[in-house]
Amino acid sequence: MNKIVLIGFMGCGKTTIGKQLAKKFNFDFIDTDEEIEKKYNTTISDIFRIYGEDDFRKKEVSLLDELLKKDNIIISTGGGIIESIEAIDMLIKEKAVIWLDANVLTIVNRLKLELDNRPKLKNKKDFELSVKRLLDTRYEKYKKSSRIRIDVNDKNIDEVISDILVYIDDNMLL
Ligand code: S3P
């Protein structure tokens, strides 16, 4: 196993944790949101606004397909990647799909100040309720798509990393 995919709701720490893991294993790091923005030379918000969510999901799935062919890589996915059945089908086949599981309170606290490029939650009247509803619809999909669940509530980055490392030995075998 030489590939780790991180999934989970917005604000659960996928990008930060992914970067640290990549450093630790000397792997490449790719964040699907960043990659899409680079590839299409625009922002996620603009893709949602101009072309719609379905178009974004198609771009996301095709990028995931491309990235899963690579080795020695840590992939941090967008929180809604599991909205595409095709993505779930791809993730199920992978060994090291790690779900960073955060509860509503953790998510709300972390996202309060970072809504700018998150069109799914930006401008929602009742922000907490919107997070809860969206998380409810996604929970089973994260579960289904992942082999490992890490509870990230009340943990700092180092604690989450060491929880992840329990599952990964020196040979990167799960
Ligand atoms: C989304 C999550 C975002 C980004 C887009 C949609 C979602 O990624 O892909 O705004 O539907 O949950 P992060 O989880 O990295 O914020």
Side-chain angles (χ1 to χ4, degrees), residues 3 5 68 89-97 145 147:
K3 190 181 308 160
V5 186
L68 289 176
D89 287 343
M90 287 178 212
L91 293 169
I92 282 174
K93 292 188 194 117
E94 291 297 317
K95 276 211 276 177
V97 178
S145 307
R147 300 230 182 157

Side-chain angles (χ1 to χ4, degrees), residues 60-108:
E60 211 177 21
V61 168
S62 100
L63 176 63
L64 180 68
D65 188 33
E66 224 177 90
L67 294 176
L68 289 176
K69 296 187 177 105
K70 296 184 189 283
D71 280 327
N72 301 334
I73 188 169
I74 310 280
I75 305 166
S76 163
T77 59
I81 194 110
I82 41 71
E83 297 287 13
S84 318
I85 298 166
E86 295 90 337
I88 296 182
D89 287 343
M90 287 178 212
L91 293 169
I92 282 174
K93 292 188 194 117
E94 291 297 317
K95 276 211 276 177
V97 178
I98 302 176
W99 167 26
L100 303 181
D101 185 13
N103 63 29
V104 176
L105 194 70
T106 302
I107 293 166
V108 166

